[in-house]
Amino acid sequence: MNQKPLIVAIVPAAGIGQRASAGMPKQYCLLRGAPMLRWSVQALLADARIAQVRVAVAADDTRAAAALDGLERTVWRPCGGPSRAATVMAALRDAALPEDAWVLVHDAARPGLPAQSLGELIDTCLARRHGAILAQAVPDTVKRADGNGMIARTVPRDGLWLAQTPQMFPAGLLLSALDKAQDDGVEVTDEASAMEHAGHAPLLVQGSKRNFKVTWAEDFEWMEKWL
């Protein structure tokens, strides 16, 4: 009898969200009356295969308990670090998961994650036994700027994708990849880039426009229209 795979989600939420100019960490800004972090966690809880959602916050965080109050299968841990990678590494160590457990890392600022996209990501990883991320093919013409704010050249968009989250990998492989990137002095901006640096090639699973990352002040208004 095959044992069901253990799937745990990690939400790094130790950042301060400077670009949003919100006067507080952006994950706690309200969307339709609830903190954005709560929406993002609820999006993960929509899939019953996720055994637990672990939210990694800063050591001096005073808002997580209220923001996450009453959510099932959810814990928050004050183990956040100075960067996303450091926070995810600390959260993985704090969780002490088996190496073959699956981990989904999801941005606290992506509250619009559709259940269908989440389900397709999990289905793909389990069926192919291979790590993957949600992403969208770049639809627009891409320009590279010079140092003066002028167009330096047009970048061919064939094969270009915009990475989203969740990003799903076996816990042991992900922690090893993050450790290697740190040891090699390589700055990684998401989990997939750490896996790439370690020699892995994650799969791309079609994401959704609704799953955009709330980054700028105007994004809050757009996200409220989706929720």
Side-chain angles (χ1 to χ4, degrees), residues 204-223:
L204 294 164
V205 176
Q206 181 64 47
S208 166
K209 289 183 179 180
R210 287 184 55 185
N211 194 29
F212 72 87
K213 186 176 183 180
V214 176
T215 303
W216 309 103
E218 64 182 325
D219 292 341
F220 287 92
E221 180 180 351
W222 283 104
M223 182 55 73

Side-chain angles (χ1 to χ4, degrees), residues 1-134:
M1 185 175 179
N2 292 331
Q3 187 176 6
K4 290 184 178 180
L6 174 61
I7 304 174
V8 172
I10 289 175
V11 180
I16 59 175
Q18 289 179 319
R19 287 177 291 182
S21 302
M24 70 172 71
K26 68 178 178 181
Q27 60 267 28
Y28 295 118
C29 292
L30 300 183
L31 290 170
R32 294 193 175 275
M36 178 162 59
L37 175 60
R38 188 178 183 90
W39 285 101
S40 297
V41 171
Q42 287 176 318
L44 293 166
L45 293 173
D47 197 304
R49 291 175 291 181
I50 297 178
Q52 188 180 59
V53 179
R54 301 180 68 87
V55 182
V57 302
D60 59 352
D61 187 290
T62 59
R63 296 181 171 93
L68 302 171
D69 183 53
L71 292 181
E72 61 178 7
R73 308 186 339 255
T74 302
V75 298
W76 62 274
R77 304 290 291 168
C79 60
S83 67
R84 177 196 177 91
T87 296
V88 174
M89 289 170 66
L92 284 167
R93 290 195 168 92
D94 182 75
L97 299 171
E99 288 198 354
D100 61 350
W102 286 95
V103 173
L104 292 122
V105 182
H106 186 52
D107 293 330
R110 292 187 191 269
L113 171 66
Q116 180 179 352
S117 298
L118 174 60
E120 289 177 356
L121 176 65
I122 295 175
D123 289 344
T124 298
C125 289
L126 296 184
R128 299 185 61 173
R129 297 182 182 180
H130 198 96
I133 73 170
L134 289 181

